[in-house]
Amino acid sequence: MATQIYLNLPVKDLNRSVEFFGALGFSFNPDFTDENATCMIINDNAFVMLLVEGFFKTFTSKSIADSTGTTEAIMAFSVDSREAVDETVRKALAAGGSPSQEVQDYGFMYNHSFQDPDGHLWEVMWMDPAGPPADSAAE
C-alpha cells in the first residue's frame, strides 16, 4: 500500500470551506464528513481534513495559529499545465479567496498562489515533466 498523507486544517465555517474548495473542483469523502469535519480528496493518496476549529482543538494542546496574520504552512498541489495554474487561481479568487503572491515563472516550473477564506496559503504549480534545463556552465 502506498503511503497516504492527511493534512489537517482548522476552519471557521465548514460549509463555506466545502463550497470554496468545491468551486475549485475538489470532491469530498462523505464517509468522513459530518458537522465537524470533511475529508477533501486531493488524489488517491493525499487528503485534506477540514476541521471546525473547536473539533481541531481536540487534537492538540497548542493554540491554533491565526492564519489571517500568521503563516503556519504553505500547501502546494500540482496541475497539468500553466493554463490550469491560472484557471485554478482565477476560480479561487472568484469563489472568495484572496491573492497571495504574484506568479513565479521559472520556465520549467510555473506557480501562483491564493489564500482560502480562512487565510491558509495555497500554491498551485506546474512543472515540465522534462525537469529543469541542464546547466550550460556544467557542460
Side-chain angles (χ1 to χ4, degrees):
M1 178 175 150
T3 298
Q4 294 181 328
I5 185 166
Y6 291 84
L7 173 66
N8 296 281
L9 288 178
V11 299
K12 293 187 185 319
D13 183 331
L14 186 60
N15 290 331
R16 179 184 66 178
S17 294
V18 168
E19 288 177 20
F20 176 79
F21 288 107
L24 300 183
F26 290 104
S27 59
F28 304 87
N29 183 334
D31 294 334
F32 297 101
T33 297
D34 62 18
E35 68 280 357
N36 290 310
T38 190
C39 178
M40 184 171 81
I41 302 166
I42 304 295
N43 62 37
D44 290 343
N45 293 305
F47 308 90
V48 176
M49 295 300 300
L50 301 172
L51 308 172
V52 174
E53 285 183 345
F55 185 58
F56 184 92
K57 288 179 183 180
T58 66
F59 295 96
T60 182
S61 59
K62 293 184 175 185
S63 60
I64 296 175
D66 176 3
S67 57
T68 61
T70 303
T71 300
E72 78 277 50
I74 300 173
M75 285 62 69
F77 62 94
S78 63
V79 293
D80 293 334
S81 68
R82 291 169 172 264
E83 295 78 18
V85 169
D86 294 335
E87 180 63 11
T88 302
V89 172
R90 185 197 65 72
K91 286 179 182 178
L93 299 179
S98 57
S100 185
Q101 300 295 319
E102 294 296 319
V103 169
Q104 297 174 329
D105 188 348
Y106 301 102
F108 72 97
M109 186 171 70
Y110 182 80
N111 58 20
H112 201 179
S113 56
F114 62 88
Q115 296 179 56
D116 70 22
D118 287 289
H120 301 294
L121 301 176
W122 292 84
E123 189 170 270
V124 187
M125 60 164 298
W126 168 83
M127 187 176 302
D128 186 331
D135 186 296
S136 58
E139 294 180 326

